[in-house]
Amino acid sequence: MTYRFSQVDVFSPDPCLGNPVAVILNAEGLDDEQLRRFSVWTNLSECTFVLPATSPEADYRVRIFSMNTELPFAGHPTLGTARAWLEAGGVPATDGMIVQECAAGLIPIRVEDEILSFAAPSLQRGGPVEPELVEQLCAILGVEKEEVVDTQWIDNGPGWVGVLLDSAQSVLALRPDASKFPGRWDIGVIGAHPERSEKAFEVRGFFTEGRTRCVRIQ
């Protein structure tokens, strides 16, 4: 059996500057262990597998993996999968709108010329982060509490916790060490550039697999 594979660069019009996702376009017949093994092999933050829809309202179904872990939803894999599906000849049932089926439900994806966009599903967890956890986050990121402007749970599937730092430079200077508190971490960090800068914000994401793996996926 031959499986069609694409690697899509999401969030950037320029090659090699976006967020990559691996997409298997005809994943029928692959079992869970094969999906996990392929996801790990790609060594990317996420890998997706396209399957026939089970809902009559959906154009296709997708399973999303982050290494060994299956996610109910994730943003850049959703956009990357939709782009790969279109370029492989997929035609949505409704003109200008792809409906993706995933573990989080049905995700409508708007198609406007070359731009794809979607409204994210409701957060599975939101609100303030517990003080003890904030201290752990500071230790992992290697920042002082005074550098942290705010923290929030922003979990719409992968389990992210968001950290707002005092500046973009603080974000760029991060050298996290997840071994200080072993376990699974999904940390998104953002900081503002000075006014009138070319860019408004600097965003970095860090996740762990196992005890010490920590990866920048900006």
Side-chain angles (χ1 to χ4, degrees), residues 9-189:
D9 202 13
V10 184
F11 296 145
S12 175
D14 301 314
C16 303
L17 293 180
N19 205 352
V21 60
V23 183
I24 306 302
L25 287 157
N26 56 327
E28 288 182 276
L30 295 173
D31 61 32
D32 287 2
E33 180 55 32
Q34 289 173 312
L35 301 185
R36 291 189 180 92
R37 189 163 64 243
F38 189 87
S39 177
V40 171
W41 174 80
T42 66
N43 200 34
L44 297 176
S45 59
E46 276 100 5
C47 179
T48 69
F49 301 89
V50 179
L51 298 158
T54 61
S55 168
E57 301 174 62
D59 292 298
Y60 61 83
R61 181 166 69 96
V62 67
R63 295 181 67 180
I64 303 169
F65 281 77
S66 177
M67 299 296 182
N68 281 304
T69 303
E70 185 168 8
L71 306 176
F73 172 82
H76 94 271
T78 291
L79 294 175
T81 301
R83 172 59 63 196
W85 182 78
L86 286 172
E87 292 187 352
V91 179
T94 301
D95 187 43
M97 182 70 70
I98 298 169
V99 179
Q100 173 181 285
E101 178 185 354
C102 61
L106 299 180
I107 311 296
I109 304 165
R110 184 182 302 158
V111 182
E112 296 178 306
D113 296 324
E114 291 299 308
I115 303 298
L116 303 180
S117 59
F118 66 91
S122 300
L123 292 178
Q124 296 185 10
R125 184 177 185 183
V129 179
E130 301 84 342
E132 181 180 354
L133 183 54
V134 172
E135 293 183 5
Q136 293 178 2
L137 291 169
C138 288
I140 290 171
L141 295 173
V143 298
E144 301 296 330
K145 289 183 68 174
E146 292 74 20
E147 298 177 75
V148 177
V149 178
D150 196 10
T151 56
Q152 291 281 324
W153 284 103
I154 49 173
D155 179 11
N156 62 4
W160 290 101
V161 57
V163 179
L164 173 63
L165 294 185
D166 56 3
S167 70
Q169 188 55 44
S170 294
V171 175
L172 290 169
L174 293 174
R175 296 294 182 270
D177 181 2
S179 66
K180 294 182 178 180
F181 291 94
R184 180 173 176 85
W185 294 94
D186 296 271
I187 307 170
V189 190

